[in-house]
Amino acid sequence: MDAELNRLRIIAVARAAFAGEGLDLPMREIARRAGLGIATVHRHFPARSDLVTAALAELVAECRGDMRASLDEPDPWRALSGVVHGFAKHRLRDRGLNEALFGSHPAAAAFAVDRREQARAMEQLVARAREAGAVRPDVTVEDVRVCLGAIASFRLGHSATDLQRLVELLLIGLAADASASPERGARRLRPRRQAIP
């Protein structure tokens, strides 16, 4: 029983630490925050990748569900812009999750399949939005990845309001005819405009 409680405590501490500080936080520091010895942590999680997998599994599953919901969303613009908004939300809350799903951190190798599935889903969302005329005809999935990269590089010292403004500007850049018709671009953005908590 004590062993299982220790394991759950390590996972909870690691999840919070990875969310705030990324996946490179030393295992020894996680052990210290959990009030346990490093040997206890290694007994449960011999490698960093084991701990990363355990700490982020639930969050990755939630992202999987969110992406499925986006693919099921009948409005192509709402689907694509919703993913961008969701990514920004996780940028503020879950630095480790972004590194696991969108970065190249070696400790996140267990999520390689999820990363590929997320990439394929993004390609579908962009293709749908382009076919529906919801985005500019020259927009590619790489353009959307550039937008996500801009969000990922956002300095967390700034406010959530600043990040929200960045997201809105990026979406205006993707939206069909947004530059030629600000009213049309604003109308397209309004359904997904939401404060990032």
Side-chain angles (χ1 to χ4, degrees), residues 1 13-17 29 76 83-84 86 94 96 107 123-124 134 143-144 154-155 173-174 183 185 189:
M1 185 63 173
V13 169
R15 184 181 295 134
E29 176 59 17
V83 168
V84 176
D94 302 297
E123 288 170 3
Q124 292 177 49
D143 294 324
V144 176
F154 181 82
R155 291 178 56 192
L174 295 175
E183 182 181 326
L189 286 174

Side-chain angles (χ1 to χ4, degrees), residues 10 13-14 17-18 21-43 45-48 51:
I10 293 164
V13 169
F18 293 154
E21 298 165 68
L23 301 182
D24 285 323
L25 194 70
M27 298 274 279
R28 188 171 297 281
E29 176 59 17
I30 292 170
R32 186 191 69 76
R33 294 182 189 185
L36 300 168
I38 187 64
T40 301
V41 174
H42 281 298
R43 191 159 47 249
F45 305 101
R48 174 182 294 278
L51 181 55

Side-chain angles (χ1 to χ4, degrees), residues 21-22 41-42 66 69 78 83 93 97-98 102-103 115 117 121 128-129 136 140 154 189:
E21 298 165 68
V41 174
H42 281 298
D66 289 346
R78 286 178 64 86
V83 168
R93 294 182 176 177
L97 180 64
N98 280 349
F102 300 99
R115 290 159 79 162
E117 288 178 356
R128 280 177 50 201
R136 291 174 10 210
T140 67
F154 181 82
L189 286 174

Side-chain angles (χ1 to χ4, degrees), residues 9-127:
R9 178 164 181 74
I10 293 164
I11 290 173
V13 169
R15 184 181 295 134
F18 293 154
E21 298 165 68
L23 301 182
D24 285 323
L25 194 70
M27 298 274 279
R28 188 171 297 281
E29 176 59 17
I30 292 170
R32 186 191 69 76
R33 294 182 189 185
L36 300 168
I38 187 64
T40 301
V41 174
H42 281 298
R43 191 159 47 249
H44 290 283
F45 305 101
R48 174 182 294 278
S49 58
D50 299 322
L51 181 55
V52 169
T53 301
L56 298 184
E58 187 177 322
L59 293 172
V60 171
E62 287 177 15
C63 286
R64 203 180 300 132
D66 289 346
M67 187 60 88
R68 279 197 298 268
S70 293
L71 290 171
D72 291 339
E73 163 62 54
D75 183 307
W77 175 253
R78 286 178 64 86
L80 181 59
S81 62
V83 168
V84 176
H85 276 289
F87 184 82
K89 178 185 75 174
H90 286 301
R91 173 64 184 127
L92 287 177
R93 294 182 176 177
D94 302 297
R95 178 177 166 186
L97 180 64
N98 280 349
E99 291 177 1
L101 286 182
F102 300 99
S104 56
H105 200 287
F111 301 117
V113 171
D114 286 281
R115 290 159 79 162
R116 287 194 295 271
E117 288 178 356
Q118 292 272 339
R120 281 195 295 269
M122 184 64 78
E123 288 170 3
Q124 292 177 49
L125 293 175
V126 172

Side-chain angles (χ1 to χ4, degrees), residues 174-192:
L174 295 175
D177 299 329
S179 60
S181 174
E183 182 181 326
R184 182 178 178 190
R187 188 166 60 250
R188 286 189 179 279
L189 286 174
R190 194 171 294 118
R192 290 302 300 181

